[in-house]
Amino acid sequence: MSILHILYEDEFCAVAVKPQGVPTQPDLTGDPDLFTLFSEHCGHNDAPGLVHRLDRTTGGLLVFSKKQNATAALCAQLQKTGVFRKTYLAVVAGVPQPEEGTWCDYLYKDRSGKAFVVRRPRNGVREASLSYRVLRCGDVEGTCASLVRVETHTGRFHQIRVQFASRRHPLLGDGKYGSRFKGCLPALWATELSFLHPVTGERMSFSFTPDAEFPFSCFLQN
């Protein structure tokens, strides 16, 4: 996949697919990042804006704005429950039980850049909520694993990774949160995205399935 893969573009916004391992925006590594590439792609009359982010290791759908008023409108949607919707695919160790449900936890991020589930609210703790459904179960190179569809209700730091790992179902490849699987980056992909067009107000919905990406390919091909 080309680093800059644009699914949709108009005068005000664009939707792109970020490969796993590519930064959303410039970081200390100096590696090519998607926002810089998108800014170079835009014309001189545009004012590109970064609406939301994905972790470097996470692949999938990202929205960029092309005008200052569009940036403000799209960012405002992120603050309203149920307006800016994001759905992910994850490959996790084992089979979560029950196979469908909603999890609400308190998360705390420490100074080292790692998050934890804690029992009660306190300074620096934020509530995190997601819904999930197991789509398929199978074997991934000798590891029992599940493909899970996840919809986040809050946008917390490492939320999906932490909430699954805390229940002994770490994402495959996510050594930071307890995975012993070494064959991939943390298996998380932003597969569906829905928002209101920043000018027309029309509901815009997009999807992109990582059927060629390991370990998602173990469940999605054929």
Side-chain angles (χ1 to χ4, degrees):
M1 180 191 299
S2 171
I3 291 181
L4 183 61
H5 177 191
I6 296 177
L7 284 185
Y8 171 84
E9 183 176 13
D10 65 21
E11 182 182 355
F12 301 98
C13 62
V15 176
V17 181
K18 188 183 86 66
Q20 287 184 289
V22 174
T24 296
Q25 62 190 103
D27 63 16
L28 295 176
T29 68
D31 293 339
D33 68 277
L34 215 62
F35 181 64
T36 298
L37 292 172
F38 178 72
S39 299
E40 293 171 353
H41 162 81
C42 291
H44 295 297
N45 294 327
D46 292 327
L50 185 61
V51 177
H52 64 120
R53 299 165 179 79
L54 293 174
D55 291 343
R56 181 179 182 130
T57 58
T58 303
L61 298 175
L62 271 175
V63 179
F64 294 115
S65 58
K66 298 176 68 176
K67 308 289 183 184
Q68 289 184 352
N69 63 332
T71 303
L74 288 167
C75 288
Q77 292 182 36
L78 289 168
Q79 309 305 316
K80 300 177 181 178
T81 302
V83 178
F84 199 107
R85 304 169 188 164
K86 293 178 283 187
T87 303
Y88 297 80
L89 290 176
V91 180
V92 306
V95 184
Q97 297 295 325
E99 295 190 6
E100 183 173 1
T102 298
W103 292 337
C104 296
D105 294 300
Y106 293 114
L107 299 189
Y108 175 75
K109 178 186 174 183
D110 68 14
R111 294 182 179 179
S112 72
K114 188 173 181 179
F116 302 87
V117 170
V118 296
R119 292 185 176 182
R120 58 182 65 88
R122 56 185 171 89
N123 189 34
V125 170
R126 306 185 73 183
E127 188 172 357
S129 174
L130 62 77
S131 297
Y132 72 93
R133 178 164 56 92
V134 175
L135 301 179
R136 298 181 184 177
C137 307
D139 180 274
V140 179
E141 296 187 351
T143 297
C144 174
S146 302
L147 177 69
V148 183
R149 183 181 188 273
V150 184
E151 182 175 357
T152 54
H153 308 305
T154 53
R156 307 306 185 209
F157 178 79
H158 290 178
Q159 175 178 341
I160 296 173
R161 298 165 65 181
V162 177
Q163 288 191 271
F164 276 89
S166 70
R167 292 165 171 85
R168 299 184 180 180
H169 299 291
L171 276 60
L172 263 60
D174 195 359
K176 186 168 189 173
Y177 290 104
S179 174
R180 297 181 180 180
F181 191 88
K182 304 295 185 182
C184 63
L185 293 171
L188 185 61
W189 187 274
T191 190
E192 296 176 12
L193 195 61
S194 179
F195 58 93
L196 303 182
H197 190 278
V199 175
T200 68
E202 176 188 359
R203 171 64 63 182
M204 311 283 286
S205 298
F206 301 90
S207 63
F208 193 92
T209 303
D211 52 357
E213 304 293 328
F214 180 84
F216 303 99
S217 55
C218 297
F219 299 94
L220 295 173
Q221 289 184 348
N222 301 323

